[in-house]
Amino acid sequence: MSSGAVKAWYLVHKWTSLVCTVFLLMLCITGLPLIFHEEIDHLLEGERPLPAMEAGAPSKTLEDALDTALARFPGTIPLFMSFDEDQPVVNVTTGPRPRSTVEEMNFISIHRPTAEPVRTPDDEGVMHFILQLHTDMFLGLGGELFLGFMGFLFFVAIVSGVVVYAPFMRKLRFGTVRVSRNSRAKWLDTHNLLGIVTLMWASVVGLTGVVNTLSTPLVDLWRADQLSEMVAPYEDKPVPTAFSSLDGAVATAMSAAPGTTPQFVAFPGVRFSSNHHYAVWLRGATPATKQLHTPALIDAETGALTEMRSMPWYMTTLRLSQPLHFGDYGGLPMKILWALFDIAAIVILGSGLYLWVARRSLPAPGTRHAHEELLPQAGPAE
């Protein structure tokens, strides 16, 4: 590669790194506790024993759990009901109207066998704050899309860093850290080494992060494309005044897709459904298929199955990217591995900032030692 091409890639790496590094540092720092959010929640909240069930008492229905939620929040209507993977618990979201804002929504977890509440919104705490900061910086969709753009710049910085890494390493053995040189040279070598070691992880996490920030536009696309086709025959029908059985709707959807389990139910009128249907979202029952979702539309008046279809490729991509981004699909060993890579990324980004701040102590580009300014991976370069 010509020196001019190397210089051009170097400039790409420099400016993409400078723009995104501060935000990437924030994402890596907040992402570290989010990797262990389940374990941290358990430590902060302690063991929450589920309500005891009387011997011989019949198990409650989903309708009973819904009644408990509506009684806790009078004057609201049901919006969503999700199913816990690990415990016999359903999470119910209510609001004053079908298109309620997040601030207007109420959330409660209910023990299915007893229909008694086990969690309320008062339990959100610090992890909820960290998640919001990591997701959109409390700026809503605009914040999500901005962080998605930072993630894209991060990936460009990775690619350009790899390109300039090759000529830089011609005179050094792989993994060399020049401990006898000045502090900047040692940090440069550490930056380079960690950058190339974490190359694949950083690329995967960066790209899946970008995909995750597109969640709202992708769901809107699905609604305008697939969902509109599915509910077209019911477009002019009003919201029913009386609803068929919720338990029956879930059972009907599961019988139409054997081997699946319910993930959540969207009630009529909300964003993931139509004015006339329960939308029962099913997932595979195995580790390999549980991220693949299938929505089933159940007529809210009659309880009959209206239509079921697989999700389009872009929604499947979104679903697969979410667990991959946080490394929460392989148990605690995978989380620990993800955390180690995350710490390495923080060192890369922090060392990149240091190298940029200390740039004036080095010769200008084009002199004999200018190759020390070439920084592979993400992080500011001058």
Side-chain angles (χ1 to χ4, degrees), residues 105-262:
M105 293 179 182
N106 307 292
F107 177 90
I108 188 171
S109 295
I110 298 173
H111 186 222
R112 287 186 64 180
T114 62
E116 294 183 19
V118 293
R119 183 180 183 275
T120 65
D122 298 333
D123 300 321
E124 288 179 344
V126 64
M127 292 306 294
H128 178 73
F129 175 86
I130 293 174
L131 178 61
Q132 283 296 108
L133 180 61
H134 184 88
T135 302
D136 60 13
M137 301 185 298
F138 301 95
L139 297 175
L141 179 58
E144 287 187 51
L145 296 179
F146 175 80
L147 291 178
F149 181 61
M150 292 300 103
F152 171 74
L153 292 183
F154 176 57
F155 181 71
V156 174
I158 291 173
V159 173
S160 57
V162 171
V163 174
V164 299
Y165 179 76
F168 172 76
M169 291 302 294
R170 285 175 184 167
K171 298 181 180 180
L172 294 174
R173 295 176 60 186
F174 178 80
T176 297
V177 177
R178 293 166 291 176
V179 294
S180 61
R181 299 289 297 276
N182 58 43
S183 177
R184 192 181 190 281
K186 287 184 287 187
W187 274 112
L188 174 62
D189 292 341
T190 301
H191 180 92
N192 291 346
L193 176 60
L194 290 177
I196 205 66
V197 167
T198 61
L199 171 65
M200 289 305 299
W201 175 87
S203 300
V204 168
V205 170
L207 289 176
T208 54
V210 172
V211 173
N212 289 340
T213 64
L214 299 176
S215 173
T216 298
L218 290 178
V219 170
D220 288 341
L221 175 62
W222 174 78
R223 290 179 63 244
D225 178 23
Q226 302 282 312
L227 183 60
S228 62
E229 291 182 7
M230 296 168 71
V231 303
Y234 298 83
E235 187 175 359
D236 297 327
K237 287 193 173 185
V239 177
T241 55
F243 293 88
S244 61
S245 166
L246 174 60
D247 293 85
V250 173
T252 297
M254 293 178 64
S255 65
T260 61
T261 59

Side-chain angles (χ1 to χ4, degrees), residues 29-367:
I29 292 171
T30 56
L32 191 57
L34 289 174
I35 295 172
F36 301 101
H37 70 93
E38 293 176 346
E39 290 79 6
I40 293 174
D41 286 339
H42 178 76
L43 289 174
L44 293 177
E45 299 175 5
E47 187 68 34
R48 290 174 174 266
L50 296 175
M53 187 173 179
E54 296 181 7
S59 181
K60 300 295 185 177
T61 65
L62 296 178
E63 298 280 358
D64 294 326
L66 186 59
D67 289 341
T68 298
L70 295 176
R72 179 61 65 94
F73 303 108
T76 63
I77 61 174
L79 304 178
F80 302 100
M81 175 181 284
S82 63
F83 296 77
D84 193 291
E85 288 187 52
D86 304 314
Q87 302 180 93
V89 169
V90 291
N91 308 301
V92 181
T93 303
T94 70
R97 56 186 178 276
R99 296 301 174 89
S100 299
T101 64
V102 173
E103 293 74 20
E104 295 173 325
M105 293 179 182
N106 307 292
F107 177 90
I108 188 171
S109 295
I110 298 173
H111 186 222
R112 287 186 64 180
T114 62
E116 294 183 19
V118 293
R119 183 180 183 275
T120 65
D122 298 333
D123 300 321
E124 288 179 344
V126 64
M127 292 306 294
H128 178 73
F129 175 86
I130 293 174
L131 178 61
Q132 283 296 108
L133 180 61
H134 184 88
T135 302
D136 60 13
M137 301 185 298
F138 301 95
L139 297 175
L141 179 58
E144 287 187 51
L145 296 179
F146 175 80
L147 291 178
F149 181 61
M150 292 300 103
F152 171 74
L153 292 183
F154 176 57
F155 181 71
V156 174
I158 291 173
V159 173
S160 57
V162 171
V163 174
V164 299
Y165 179 76
F168 172 76
M169 291 302 294
R170 285 175 184 167
K171 298 181 180 180
L172 294 174
R173 295 176 60 186
F174 178 80
T176 297
V177 177
R178 293 166 291 176
V179 294
S180 61
R181 299 289 297 276
N182 58 43
S183 177
R184 192 181 190 281
K186 287 184 287 187
W187 274 112
L188 174 62
D189 292 341
T190 301
H191 180 92
N192 291 346
L193 176 60
L194 290 177
I196 205 66
V197 167
T198 61
L199 171 65
M200 289 305 299
W201 175 87
S203 300
V204 168
V205 170
L207 289 176
T208 54
V210 172
V211 173
N212 289 340
T213 64
L214 299 176
S215 173
T216 298
L218 290 178
V219 170
D220 288 341
L221 175 62
W222 174 78
R223 290 179 63 244
D225 178 23
Q226 302 282 312
L227 183 60
S228 62
E229 291 182 7
M230 296 168 71
V231 303
Y234 298 83
E235 187 175 359
D236 297 327
K237 287 193 173 185
V239 177
T241 55
F243 293 88
S244 61
S245 166
L246 174 60
D247 293 85
V250 173
T252 297
M254 293 178 64
S255 65
T260 61
T261 59
Q263 189 214 12
F264 75 93
V265 177
F267 287 83
V270 304
R271 185 165 169 252
F272 289 88
S273 185
S274 76
N275 285 342
H276 198 76
H277 294 86
Y278 294 114
V280 182
W281 290 66
L282 304 168
R283 62 183 166 205
T286 68
T289 61
K290 71 176 183 178
Q291 295 301 328
L292 303 179
H293 292 175
T294 303
L297 292 183
I298 308 298
D299 191 303
E301 280 187 325
T302 67
L305 174 67
T306 295
E307 188 171 354
M308 172 185 289
R309 63 172 66 179
S310 299
M311 297 298 288
W313 67 269
Y314 52 86
M315 289 296 289
T316 299
T317 301
L318 174 63
R319 286 299 309 160
L320 293 176
S321 71
Q322 291 170 344
L324 191 58
H325 184 70
F326 287 106
D328 59 359
Y329 60 91
L332 186 58
M334 180 66 76
K335 292 183 179 183
I336 294 174
L337 178 63
W338 243 236
L340 293 175
F341 278 128
D342 190 279
I343 293 170
I346 292 173
V347 175
I348 293 167
L349 295 164
S351 61
L353 278 175
Y354 164 75
L355 292 167
W356 177 67
V357 170
R359 69 194 184 284
R360 297 185 184 278
S361 63
L362 289 179
T367 60

